[in-house]
Amino acid sequence: MRYCPKCGHQVEMTIPPGDNRTRAVCPHCAHIDYDNPRLITGTIPLYQDKILLCRRNIEPQFGFWTLPAGFMENQETTSEGALRETLEESGSVAKCQQAFSMISIPRINQVHLFYIAKLEKDDFHPTEESSEVALFDLKDIPWEELAFSSVTKTLEFFIEDHQKGQYGFHEDVILFNSVPD
């Protein structure tokens, strides 16, 4: 940020009094810009012991498979955002069962939160954001074609828990990875 969104004056990068991080501060009106992490919400949509995945029709990672997920909007809960993204990316109506994984990715200022969700029926289709939508048996997940490391990690946690017959909540951090997020 170079200019204040309040008054248009050029900002200075400084640590405001009482803070511990460098921020864009306007020396004219004292506005402080807090650039905080973005929250990505999504689902692990299940139907008859299969997981629904979407082949991305948009960048980043065009053509790769992913769980339906995206940026949370203002004035919605995390589960509402996850269900909205599931509908937008797969055409499917789902119902959240439980929060399942939360993965922080500090290098890109994001937190990814996934819910286990049940599909009421196998009603899904390609959308503007997904060129293909399909159900996969756990043994058939296309690991080498997954779009994001947070999705890979979430699916690994899911398979581990599925084998135990009990689903917990998993928190993790991805610091560096060759797969973009």
Side-chain angles (χ1 to χ4, degrees):
M1 171 180 286
R2 294 180 57 188
Y3 298 97
C4 178
K6 299 271 187 191
C7 73
H9 195 276
Q10 189 167 351
V11 298
E12 296 174 357
M13 297 306 292
T14 186
I15 299 174
D19 205 334
N20 62 0
R21 298 186 188 274
T22 301
R23 314 265 186 202
V25 179
C26 179
H28 185 259
C29 74
H31 173 75
I32 303 170
D33 183 61
Y34 293 94
D35 185 20
N36 295 322
R38 294 168 290 171
L39 184 59
I40 309 304
T41 60
T43 62
I44 306 164
L46 303 173
Y47 184 77
Q48 296 181 351
D49 285 334
K50 294 183 179 184
I51 292 179
L52 183 105
L53 296 176
C54 303
R55 188 182 294 273
R56 292 182 59 79
N57 200 35
I58 56 175
E59 291 293 351
Q61 297 296 85
F62 181 91
F64 285 82
W65 290 97
T66 189
L67 293 168
F71 293 103
M72 184 175 158
E73 298 287 349
N74 290 332
Q75 300 178 352
E76 70 182 0
T77 66
T78 54
S79 61
E80 287 170 343
L83 295 175
R84 175 186 50 75
E85 287 291 340
T86 301
L87 180 62
E88 287 176 5
E89 294 187 10
S90 71
S92 296
V93 175
K95 184 176 182 180
C96 285
Q97 301 292 299
Q98 72 176 72
F100 181 73
S101 71
M102 181 174 68
I103 301 175
S104 298
I105 311 173
R107 69 185 159 83
I108 59 171
N109 304 318
Q110 291 182 1
V111 176
H112 295 202
L113 176 63
F114 288 95
Y115 287 86
I116 294 175
K118 295 284 184 193
L119 298 176
E120 300 295 319
K121 51 188 172 179
D122 67 344
D123 183 21
F124 52 85
H125 54 81
T127 66
E128 203 172 293
E129 296 182 27
S130 302
S131 61
E132 188 178 351
V133 182
L135 291 169
F136 288 86
D137 283 315
L138 296 182
K139 64 181 177 39
D140 296 327
I141 291 172
W143 294 103
E144 298 302 314
E145 296 179 60
L146 293 179
F148 306 110
S149 53
S150 61
V151 169
T152 299
K153 184 58 96 171
T154 294
L155 289 172
E156 288 170 350
F157 287 142
F158 183 83
I159 288 172
E160 237 177 74
D161 284 6
H162 185 75
Q163 290 170 345
K164 295 177 193 170
Q166 186 174 346
Y167 301 94
F169 181 76
H170 303 271
E171 184 176 359
D172 204 354
V173 176
I174 296 173
L175 296 175
F176 298 100
N177 196 318
S178 60
V179 177
D181 290 290

